[in-house]
Structures are given as C-alpha cells and as structure tokens.
Amino acid sequence: MSLLDSIRAAKQLRKVGSIAHDASAPSLIVDTLQISNKYDTLVLQANIENWNTLLSEFTPKTILVPLTPAQGTLLLRAYEALESAALAEAIDAAAAQYVRSGKTGAPLVPEESLLLEQLGQEIQTAIDALGGSGCFVKLSSRSPKDAAARSGVFEAHYIRAVQAAVELDDEQRLWILCQSEGAALRFKDAASVVRSLVLSERVWQDMTLAMRHPDTWQQNIILREWQPVPIDMEFRTFISKTRMTAISQYAYQLCSPRLTTAEKLDPAIAAIRTLYEDRLRPILSASPAFADCVIEFGVIPPESEGGEWRAIVIEINPFEETTDGGLFSWTRERQLIEGTEEGVEYPVVRVTERKRTGALAMVPSRWKEVVRRVEGRT
C-alpha cells in the first residue's frame, strides 16, 4: 500500500500470508463468477488504453509499451519470488546500494532479468522520446508506487528533503513524506522501471486480475511525460451520469494554506470545471463506459500573477467504492456522490481546512522504517 493510500484509508497495512494488501486493489476473491466478471469489467474499462486516445489533448503525452501474457506471468512470478524470506536480504542490499549510488543494481531474480532483456530497450526509447529527464510510469490500471519503499528510491528522496528542511515538525514531515513519494514516481532508466514493477504488490494484483481474462488481454507499460503538478493541486472528481457531483482534495491529510483561501482555490476549481464542462463532457458523454467515473485532475498554477490556471487529466478510475472517496464517503454520502440528494448545489467541493493530528501514526510500517532509518542518521 502506498503512503497516500494508507493515510486516506486511515489504517495500517493488512497482511494476508506474506503479502500486504492495498485498499485500492481489484477484488481478487469473489463469491461468484458473475460478480467477479462484473467487477473486473468496471475496473478494466477504466484502463488508460480506453480513454487516452479520446483525451490525448488534455492529458500528458503518453507512450505505450505492450505487455504480452507471458510477460505478465513473469511479473507475477518475480513478485512472488521476491516476497520470499530468502530474498529479503538481497532486496535490502539492493535498496541500500540505490541510496548510495542512485543506480539500480543487477536483477534480483531471473524473471526480472528476462523482462529487462525483452522490454528494456523499448522502455528506454520511450523515456528518451519523452524528454529523457524522467517520466511517470504505470501499468494499464495503476502505478507501482508501493515499490518505492522497497527499492530505496523513496529513501533517497526523503534523505535529500530532510537534509534541506529548515525545521521538521510532524506537519512538515508529512509534507516531505508525500512529496518524496510523488518524486519517487519519476523514472529515468529502464532498469529502475522494471525493478519497480517486480517489487510492486499493486502490479501483482492488477496482473492477477488481467490474467483472468486472456481473451480480452490488453496490458501495457505506460510511460507519460512528467508534469510538475504540486501535491496539493491534485483533485478527485466524481462524475455521475456525466454530471460532476463532487470534488475532493486528493492528498486530503495535508492542510494546504493556499487551498483555504478563495483567492487560490476558486481559480483551481474553475480550471477543472471549465475543462470538464467545455471539453471533456461532450467527449465522454458519447461513451457509456464513462458516464459514471472518477477523474483525477491536476492543476498547474500560473507562473506569474494574473496568469492562466491550467487543468490536466491525470487518470480515470471506476465509479466504485474501491476507488477512494477522498473527503466524501461512499457509504454515508452515496446520494450526494450520485447527484441525487436534493437541495444541494453541485458540484460539492471539499478541501482540508485545518491541520490534522495523528496522521503520522497511520503511515505503514515500511515507510516508518525508512523515516526512522533516515532521521536516526541525519
């Protein structure tokens, strides 16, 4: 589970056997085949292949590197091998090497070596085509952001941020944690991409779901142009029957001063609403699959006073409870999210207006270990 996912879910990692499960994961155990297929369809139709071409003008430049079912199997086998206690020392040593050198070492298991051999050149070509200075990486469904705590990448970013910090109270520490997690998703070479994929439980979960549907297999490694969206300028928006009903601050455990004033919040929300109503809604309305969905927007503030606030589409998620509700509750506020509650002015906008206490207590154990290790020596 990623740091932000854990904070939003307000709980520690849950263990099943040796695997820590992610609250945003696809349902891997279901009561009937009918329920499984229905849920899988909702998840798979939100994959980026189904909307990137439609919205290419409004989302970062994207390159797809196809994954075959055989390569999907290699990802599954690699993760399962790396979950064994026998390889824990090797993973820790590789992470420590990355912290020291900033370089990903030799493959940890044969499956990682095969994936790098088969996909490495195409991944590197895509990275170079996107500018060569780093790009965001995900699979068709989700990113491997949970791998950063195991690979040493998060720790390297956290060390630099802590060393640069003027003071380090809990609020500042939480900001640094979240910003370091975001920075760890910027990849500059193929070896680090493949390492993150084989260490990610999220990838293992998504591959497990995709493998259930070999007849409709469409999985890719997605490389996207890096966009400098501030962590407090990401918003989760709920679309019900093509109507925008709710907008939540994405990293809602963070209290951002600029989001508590209308001077900054209003133009950010206006940029999102304008992009959706004027440009996206006509496009998505033509596709029944996206009449109900959850869209992540990033807002890029102007570089100078009086400049334009610009919104971009980051991703689309299923309109289901497995998609985190942010500052809204799927169970208590379902009618509001669906836009059927009377006497409400839509969309409802929510941001965190006051600093919260105790958020660090909900950080998962792997992230806490990094924090203790770093702060014990800085």
Side-chain angles (χ1 to χ4, degrees):
M1 179 183 283
S2 77
L3 172 64
L4 288 181
D5 284 342
S6 299
I7 290 173
R8 293 188 201 105
K11 57 189 174 186
Q12 297 286 348
L13 290 169
R14 293 181 289 111
K15 284 280 188 180
V16 178
S18 64
I19 298 172
H21 279 263
D22 187 337
S24 65
S27 177
L28 299 179
I29 301 175
V30 291
D31 294 332
T32 69
L33 181 61
Q34 182 179 6
I35 293 174
S36 171
N37 285 341
K38 178 182 177 182
Y39 179 77
D40 288 2
T41 298
L42 289 171
V43 173
L44 293 171
Q45 74 184 13
N47 282 1
I48 191 170
E49 293 89 349
N50 297 323
W51 57 264
N52 181 65
T53 301
L54 289 173
L55 306 183
S56 60
E57 183 182 348
F58 317 107
T59 196
K61 182 181 177 182
T62 301
I63 298 175
L64 279 60
V65 174
L67 270 178
T68 66
Q71 290 161 344
T73 299
L74 286 175
L75 285 172
L76 291 175
R77 283 169 39 193
Y79 176 81
E80 288 159 8
L82 291 166
E83 277 292 292
S84 69
L87 287 173
E89 250 183 63
I91 294 172
D92 289 345
Q97 176 185 329
Y98 183 89
V99 172
R100 290 192 303 270
S101 68
K103 296 180 180 179
T104 303
L108 295 167
V109 290
E111 292 84 357
E112 181 183 359
S113 181
L114 282 170
L115 286 163
L116 189 57
E117 179 184 329
Q118 294 174 15
L119 298 167
Q121 185 57 59
E122 195 169 357
I123 291 172
Q124 192 61 55
T125 298
I127 292 172
D128 294 342
L130 292 169
S133 61
C135 63
F136 176 77
V137 174
K138 61 177 290 184
L139 286 195
S140 298
S141 178
R142 299 183 298 167
S143 72
K145 59 185 176 181
D146 57 316
R150 301 180 73 189
S151 66
V153 179
F154 167 76
E155 183 169 346
H157 284 287
Y158 189 74
I159 287 172
R160 289 194 290 271
V162 167
Q163 290 174 338
V166 176
E167 56 183 66
L168 200 62
D169 58 17
D170 280 355
E171 178 72 10
Q172 182 63 20
R173 186 178 285 105
L174 185 60
W175 274 86
I176 289 175
L177 281 166
C178 293
Q179 288 169 335
S180 297
E181 183 192 20
L185 290 172
R186 188 172 191 170
F187 294 88
K188 299 182 180 181
D189 63 89
S192 63
V193 170
V194 174
R195 175 63 53 82
S196 72
L197 296 178
V198 299
L199 286 177
S200 171
E201 184 192 12
R202 290 159 62 91
V203 167
W204 176 82
Q205 291 169 337
D206 293 346
M207 281 295 101
T208 300
L209 185 153
M211 285 290 184
R212 290 213 297 256
H213 304 277
D215 293 341
T216 57
W217 176 272
Q218 185 185 31
Q219 297 291 313
N220 294 274
I221 298 172
I222 313 296
L223 300 103
R224 314 196 78 198
E225 181 183 11
W226 187 262
Q227 289 282 353
V229 178
I231 194 168
D232 59 340
M233 283 288 156
E234 290 188 38
F235 297 88
R236 173 157 285 182
T237 66
F238 299 82
I239 310 299
S240 178
K241 296 179 175 56
T242 76
R243 178 190 191 188
M244 185 177 288
T245 59
I247 302 175
S248 171
Q249 178 182 340
Y250 186 74
Y252 57 76
Q253 283 294 336
L254 300 176
C255 179
S256 168
R258 63 178 162 183
L259 294 184
T260 61
T261 63
E263 180 186 2
K264 302 293 184 183
L265 178 61
D266 287 356
I269 298 301
I272 292 171
R273 295 186 65 182
T274 298
L275 176 59
Y276 179 73
E277 295 296 341
D278 294 354
R279 308 299 299 277
L280 305 186
R281 188 172 186 173
I283 297 171
L284 296 179
S285 295
S287 175
F290 299 112
D292 301 296
C293 63
V294 179
I295 305 177
E296 307 289 349
F297 286 96
V299 177
I300 302 174
E303 295 181 1
S304 58
E305 193 68 29
E308 179 185 9
W309 291 72
R310 184 167 63 92
I312 61 171
V313 175
I314 295 176
E315 64 180 5
I316 295 181
N317 299 293
F319 193 83
E320 284 293 315
E321 290 186 25
T322 49
T323 297
D324 194 291
L327 290 167
F328 297 88
S329 168
W330 283 101
T331 53
R332 297 189 306 274
E333 300 179 297
R334 185 84 192 201
Q335 284 186 305
L336 188 154
I337 291 174
E338 291 180 343
T340 58
E341 187 171 318
E342 296 182 0
V344 174
E345 184 178 346
Y346 293 103
V348 178
V349 179
R350 290 181 185 169
V351 298
T352 299
E353 298 179 350
R354 291 180 297 276
K355 293 181 181 180
R356 300 190 178 195
T357 58
L360 288 175
M362 295 178 282
V363 172
S365 57
R366 278 179 180 158
W367 301 90
K368 284 181 179 177
E369 289 168 9
V370 171
V371 172
R372 283 194 294 265
R373 189 160 59 245
V374 171
E375 295 189 19
R377 69 180 183 218
T378 57

